[in-house]
């Protein structure tokens, strides 16, 4: 009210329009950054992992990306400490064996997630990549019930059935087209399971690092660097790397470093998009990004897909979008119910509230 008294209506309107424009610009920048880094990382990893003239060592490529992430965490931490008034604000990074041990269960799941992710991408095309990993939502529901005891509404389960139907239709159409990779599908399913478990263990591990997502990222990737070493040894990738013809190629290492930077930036732009929009908008943006990514992949590799193949992608996308909307509605209903119950004088106040009940999560 005070602002209205001090400023003429014309100036007040101009100020409000400027504020809205800045907000819209920030939202556009966040969403665009998320799309660029996410799609770019998928295409870049596909290029590094599956081109015949490149290194056939997906675990080593993933390991190197973890090295880049840890290095960037420490570099940004030093810059932030040296220039406290700069625009770069990054938490202090330090090594603590106790914290590393506490984060280890998450790191094991994390290693499985990124390893199966890249193995899936190695054996399937980018156009099928989204459908191949579309069971993440299903595993989220199953793991939340088995581990956390959280139940899911009938409407959300209906959306899950729609996603499952789209997944199997997509697998069938890949088989009909003769491009089905059973190994790629299996890796995609395992990656989906690990993504669901990663979300649960991330929320459990944040307390060990003072609720700092960047510090958790550093410890997670640091543990992964160690965990990947025996996996690379048993898979024989050390020999693949040693005899790789382009091992000392500047182009190869440039692409490797860029892929590591893209992987690191995904953590930032994901949080940025959620911060300037909402978790619901972030999920919708991710669904739309997956659709655009599929179309881009089909055009880039000049693939010809039948109608039912496109239908499988459409079913998965619609099922995922509906699930996001249904879950947001369910959380609003539970939040209103909890708020009314806590305000009643004849009921005992709630001492603890689950993350699913918080509309900000």
């Amino acid at each position: 009210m005070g602002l209205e008294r001090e400023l003429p209506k014309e100036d007040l309107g101009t100020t409000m329009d400027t504020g809205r424009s800045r907000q819209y610009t920030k939202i556009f920048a966040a969403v665009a950054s998320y799309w660029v880094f996410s799609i770019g990382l998928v295409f870049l990893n596909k290029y590094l992992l599956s081109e015949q003239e490149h290194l056939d060592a997906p675990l080593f490529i993933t390991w190197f990306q973890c090295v880049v992430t840890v290095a960037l965490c420490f570099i940004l931490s030093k810059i932030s400490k040296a220039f406290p008034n700069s625009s770069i604000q990054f938490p202090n990074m330090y090594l603590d064996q106790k914290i590393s041990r506490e984060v280890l269960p998450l790191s094991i799941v994390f290693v499985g997630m990124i390893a199966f992710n890249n193995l899936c991408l190695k054996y399937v095309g980018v156009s099928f990549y989204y459908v191949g990993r579309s069971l993440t939502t299903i595993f989220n529901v199953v793991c939340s019930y088995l581990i956390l005891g959280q139940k899911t509404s009938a409407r959300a389960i209906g959306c899950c059935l729609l996603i499952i139907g789209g997944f199997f239709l997509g697998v069938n159409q890949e088989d009909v087209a003769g491009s089905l990779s059973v190994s790629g599908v299996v890796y995609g399913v395992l990656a989906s399971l690990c993504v669901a478990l990663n979300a649960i263990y991330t929320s459990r591990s944040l307390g060990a690092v003072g609720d700092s997502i960047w510090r958790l990222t550093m410890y997670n990737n640091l543990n992964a660097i160690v965990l990947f070493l025996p996996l690379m040894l048993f898979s024989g990738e050390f020999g693949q790397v040693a005899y790789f013809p382009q091992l000392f190629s500047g182009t190869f290492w440039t692409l490797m470093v860029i892929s590591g930077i893209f992987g690191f930036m995904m953590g930032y732009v994901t949080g940025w998009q959620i911060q300037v929009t909402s978790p619901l908008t972030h999920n919708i943006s991710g669904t739309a990004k997956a659709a655009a990514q599929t179309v881009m992949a089909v055009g880039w590799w000049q693939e010809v897909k039948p109608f039912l193949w496109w239908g499988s992608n459409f079913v998965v996308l619609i099922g995922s979008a509906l699930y996001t909307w249904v879950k947001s509605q369910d959380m609003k209903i539970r939040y209103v119910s909890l708020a009314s119950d806590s305000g009643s004088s004849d009921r005992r106040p709630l001492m603890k509230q689950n993350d699913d009940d918080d509309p900000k999560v």
Side-chain angles (χ1 to χ4, degrees):
M1 295 299 293
L3 184 61
E4 292 179 2
R5 292 175 184 174
E6 294 174 7
L7 292 176
K9 290 184 177 181
E10 294 80 3
D11 294 342
L12 178 61
T14 302
T15 302
M16 293 176 65
D17 289 341
T18 302
R20 279 196 294 265
S21 298
R22 289 178 179 175
Q23 183 65 18
Y24 292 151
T25 301
K26 186 182 294 185
I27 291 173
F28 175 79
V31 174
S33 299
Y34 174 78
W35 279 47
V36 168
F37 283 107
S38 181
I39 295 177
L41 181 62
V42 170
F43 275 82
L44 187 56
N45 276 344
K46 180 63 179 177
Y47 180 78
L48 288 170
L49 290 164
S50 62
E51 296 294 328
Q52 293 183 358
E53 66 271 17
H54 289 85
L55 179 61
D56 184 20
L59 296 179
F60 172 77
I61 292 174
T62 309
W63 174 84
F64 182 80
Q65 291 171 351
C66 293
V67 172
V68 173
T69 297
V70 172
L72 286 173
C73 284
F74 277 101
I75 290 172
L76 291 176
S77 176
K78 294 295 184 182
I79 294 176
S80 180
K81 188 176 181 179
F83 304 97
N85 296 324
S86 66
S87 58
I88 298 178
Q89 296 298 321
F90 211 78
N92 182 36
M93 294 293 165
Y94 54 87
L95 298 180
D96 189 316
Q97 292 183 358
K98 180 181 178 181
I99 296 178
S100 181
R101 288 195 300 269
E102 292 179 358
V103 177
L104 186 59
L106 170 64
S107 301
I108 294 173
V109 174
F110 174 74
V111 166
M113 179 184 72
I114 56 178
F116 290 134
N117 234 5
N118 282 350
L119 285 169
C120 172
L121 195 56
K122 173 180 172 62
Y123 291 104
V124 305
V126 175
S127 58
F128 183 69
Y129 179 62
Y130 175 67
V131 174
R133 288 185 58 254
S134 61
L135 296 184
T136 299
T137 301
I138 314 304
F139 286 120
N140 270 330
V141 172
V142 174
C143 293
S144 295
Y145 177 75
L146 294 178
I147 298 175
L148 303 177
Q150 296 176 353
K151 296 183 179 179
T152 305
S153 67
R155 294 189 304 170
I157 292 176
C159 296
C160 291
L161 294 177
L162 193 62
I163 295 172
I164 293 174
F167 170 79
F168 281 109
L169 179 60
V171 171
N172 173 262
Q173 290 303 300
E174 283 287 301
D175 189 23
V176 170
S179 55
L180 177 66
S181 169
V182 177
S183 298
V185 173
V186 172
Y187 287 135
V189 172
L190 292 174
S192 300
L193 173 60
C194 289
V195 169
L197 291 173
N198 185 75
I200 294 174
Y201 280 98
T202 295
S203 62
R204 290 186 170 185
S205 303
L206 275 170
V209 292
D211 289 332
S212 170
I213 196 69
W214 283 119
R215 198 170 288 129
L216 181 63
T217 298
M218 188 276 291
Y219 277 103
N220 211 8
N221 282 269
L222 186 63
N223 286 343
I225 291 173
V226 178
L227 293 173
F228 268 119
L229 292 176
L231 296 178
M232 289 189 292
L233 178 64
F234 293 132
S235 64
E237 289 196 2
F238 284 121
Q240 292 281 349
V241 174
Y243 291 99
F244 180 51
Q246 301 182 42
L247 183 60
F248 300 101
S249 167
T251 302
F252 169 73
W253 287 109
T254 299
L255 291 175
M256 288 281 283
V257 171
I258 292 175
S259 70
I261 294 173
F262 270 48
F264 173 83
M265 287 301 300
M266 275 300 298
Y268 175 76
V269 296
T270 299
W272 186 26
Q273 181 173 243
I274 294 174
Q275 182 184 32
V276 300
T277 59
S278 68
L280 174 60
T281 305
H282 167 69
N283 289 334
I284 294 174
S285 173
T287 302
K289 186 272 303 181
Q293 178 179 287
T294 300
V295 174
M296 290 172 62
V298 171
W300 180 265
W301 278 282
Q302 298 181 346
E303 300 172 338
V304 178
K305 300 295 185 181
F307 176 78
L308 285 178
W309 186 91
W310 287 107
S312 68
N313 281 267
F314 182 75
V315 169
V316 170
L317 288 168
I318 291 297
S320 300
L322 285 175
Y323 176 85
T324 300
W325 180 80
V326 166
K327 288 295 288 183
S328 68
Q329 296 301 308
D330 290 344
M331 284 191 290
K332 287 181 181 179
I333 293 172
R334 287 201 298 271
Y335 180 71
V336 171
S337 176
L338 285 170
S340 61
D341 288 346
S342 62
S344 301
S345 58
D346 57 339
R347 293 181 181 270
R348 184 177 61 185
L350 284 172
M351 299 300 294
K352 186 177 180 181
Q353 180 174 303
N354 290 331
D355 285 344
D356 254 357
D357 299 326
D358 187 354
K360 295 182 181 179
V361 175

